[in-house]
Amino acid sequence: GTLEDLKAAQYRMVDTSLFSLEFKVKLQQELPDLDATTNGVLFHGDNFQAINLLRSVGNGSIDCIYIDPPYNTDASPIAYKNGFRSSSWTSLIYDRLKNSKFLVKNDGMLCITIDDFQYRELSFISEEIFGVDSLLGTTTIRNNPAGRATKKGFAISHEYGLFVRVSSNTTLGFLPHTEDQAKRY
């Protein structure tokens, strides 16, 4: 890209893990009063550790939590263990969701992504922790148009996003239609 490209997209996200420590320090020094100019916090780490750290900061103050747990398959090379027995995986997720419940505002929600292999278990765990009417909806997320081969012969090209509410006070908002969408109606 060019300097003009950078200026046109001032709020582009950068994965600083790809850069040296020296560059990271220099980048942070170029951002005057970073805390005052941001309105959120991003934790990147193990779900359980991040959730427990947040519990020490303040309970019931978060609007939404996104959790991307191990999918319990060997679908892609990832940095954490990804081959639990079903009971171990269920226990791992249960602890994370249970602790998350106390972080989210009374009208907040969680989004948890998962694939076909542990979808049922995740749904049951969410129902047990948040209640039988807690599932707001499940979306399909297309993540590999070519498909990923499975041992059973199907080529999976999606995963799911489960949206779980913390209480009956959670409501969904709606985005207005774009001009292109409005033309279709």
Side-chain angles (χ1 to χ4, degrees), residues 57-146:
V57 173
N59 289 337
S61 60
I62 297 173
D63 294 315
C64 181
I65 292 178
Y66 170 78
I67 298 178
D68 184 17
Y71 284 14
N72 216 22
T73 62
D74 293 325
S76 63
I78 52 176
Y80 49 78
K81 181 177 177 174
N82 203 20
F84 294 94
R85 292 187 181 268
S86 188
S87 60
S88 297
W89 186 89
T90 301
S91 177
L92 177 130
I93 299 305
Y94 185 90
D95 289 343
R96 283 149 176 78
L97 290 185
K98 187 173 182 181
N99 286 342
S100 296
K101 179 178 183 177
F102 303 105
L103 296 173
V104 181
K105 291 180 180 177
N106 193 33
D107 61 348
M109 73 173 71
L110 286 87
C111 173
I112 311 128
T113 56
I114 199 68
D115 66 6
D116 292 331
F117 294 100
Q118 298 290 165
Y119 173 82
R120 288 183 310 280
E121 291 86 346
L122 179 59
S123 181
F124 292 141
I125 293 167
S126 299
E127 193 173 283
E128 182 177 326
I129 293 171
F130 297 99
V132 293
D133 294 326
S134 63
L135 185 62
L136 291 169
T138 302
T139 61
T140 305
I141 304 164
R142 186 176 80 163
N143 61 356
N144 184 351

